[in-house]
């Protein structure tokens, strides 16, 4: 049973310097137009973990022993009317990405059958028409981006207060 004092953590994938620069440029353009909350660009890999203990954190920190950096293949800009998936870049479900996801889900006993890999650019409410118009003005998405680290991120408070608590390079 979830306790109100439980802390929620997610495992994010983050990117090499060149990919981060390109994605941040797009993210900044989106947030200048839509005035969304600040967050680090990322791809959610797995979660949630509820109030992880030291054993769980140690297992997270051992993940680089199993994985190497991978290239993610971008697809297109997309949007929904959901707050937590408002405007984003769809990522293809490559075997490399799904192998990492399955291994992490197994290691932490997470069952996520509805995984839709994406890189969020905006969290919040905005009209469909405004999103379509903004997407038409955004630059071309890089074809490939390099995922080179995993982060354990505390997300139990508002988006502006999300905090990376542990980070490991692949």
């Amino acid at each position: 049973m979830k306790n109100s004092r439980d802390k929620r953590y997610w495992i994010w994938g983050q990117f090499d310097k060149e990919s981060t620069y390109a994605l941040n440029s797009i993210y900044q353009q989106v947030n200048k137009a839509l005035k969304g909350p600040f967050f680090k660009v990322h791809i959610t890999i797995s979660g949630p973990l509820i109030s992880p203990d030291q054993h769980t954190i140690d297992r997270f920190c051992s993940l680089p022993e199993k994985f190497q950096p991978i290239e993610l293949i971008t697809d297109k800009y997309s949007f929904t009317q959901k707050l937590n998936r408002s405007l984003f870049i769809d990522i293809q479900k490559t075997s490399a990405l799904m192998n990492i996801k399955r291994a992490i889900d197994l290691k932490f006993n997470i069952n996520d059958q509805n995984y839709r890999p994406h890189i969020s650019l905006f969290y919040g409410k905005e009209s469909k028409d405004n999103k379509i118009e903004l997407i038409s003005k955004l630059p071309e998405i890089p074809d490939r981006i390099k995922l080179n680290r995993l982060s354990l991120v505390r997300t139990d408070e508002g988006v502006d207060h999300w905090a990376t608590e542990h980070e490991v390079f692949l």
Side-chain angles (χ1 to χ4, degrees):
M1 184 170 158
K2 189 174 187 286
N3 183 315
S4 64
R5 289 176 288 190
D6 285 340
K7 296 174 177 63
R8 295 172 52 93
Y9 291 76
W10 292 81
I11 296 174
W12 288 359
Q14 292 183 284
F15 316 105
D16 70 347
K17 191 174 189 176
E18 183 179 325
S19 300
T20 298
Y21 181 82
L23 292 169
N24 275 338
S25 177
I26 297 167
Y27 163 80
Q28 288 168 358
Q29 189 173 343
V30 168
N31 275 284
K32 182 177 181 185
L34 301 181
K35 307 209 182 339
F38 172 78
F39 57 92
K40 292 180 181 176
V41 291
H42 64 279
I43 180 170
T44 300
I45 303 292
S46 190
L49 303 173
I50 306 299
S51 297
D53 58 15
Q54 188 57 50
H55 177 68
T56 302
I57 292 168
D58 291 345
R59 288 188 337 204
F60 170 80
C61 291
S62 74
L63 288 173
E65 298 168 7
K66 296 187 182 292
F67 307 118
Q68 295 187 6
I70 63 169
E71 282 197 334
L72 301 177
I73 301 172
T74 61
D75 193 11
K76 65 186 183 307
Y77 292 111
S78 290
F79 62 90
T80 69
Q81 291 307 108
K82 296 179 181 179
L83 282 173
N84 64 341
R85 195 180 293 162
S86 188
L87 180 61
F88 53 94
I89 299 169
D90 269 321
I91 302 297
Q92 293 183 15
K93 287 185 177 181
T94 62
S95 59
L97 173 59
M98 295 312 293
N99 287 342
I100 288 176
K101 169 144 181 66
R102 277 191 291 275
I104 290 172
D105 284 354
L106 185 63
K107 187 173 199 103
F108 295 102
N109 196 28
I110 294 170
N111 184 11
D112 180 4
Q113 301 298 319
N114 300 314
Y115 185 57
R116 182 178 182 181
H118 66 281
I119 298 169
S120 290
L121 299 171
F122 173 71
Y123 292 113
K125 290 188 176 196
E126 191 59 55
S127 74
K128 178 180 176 180
D129 290 342
N130 283 351
K131 291 176 191 176
I132 291 170
E133 181 180 344
L134 178 58
I135 287 171
S136 74
K137 296 175 183 176
L138 293 175
E140 191 171 310
I141 304 166
D143 292 333
R144 297 175 185 270
I145 52 179
K146 189 170 190 175
L147 184 147
N148 73 342
R149 67 189 185 278
L150 298 171
S151 301
L152 186 61
V153 181
R154 183 175 167 180
T155 62
D156 57 318
E157 297 186 35
V159 175
D160 291 329
H161 298 287
W162 290 350
T164 299
E165 297 210 354
H166 300 278
E167 182 175 76
V168 292
F169 282 83
L170 306 178

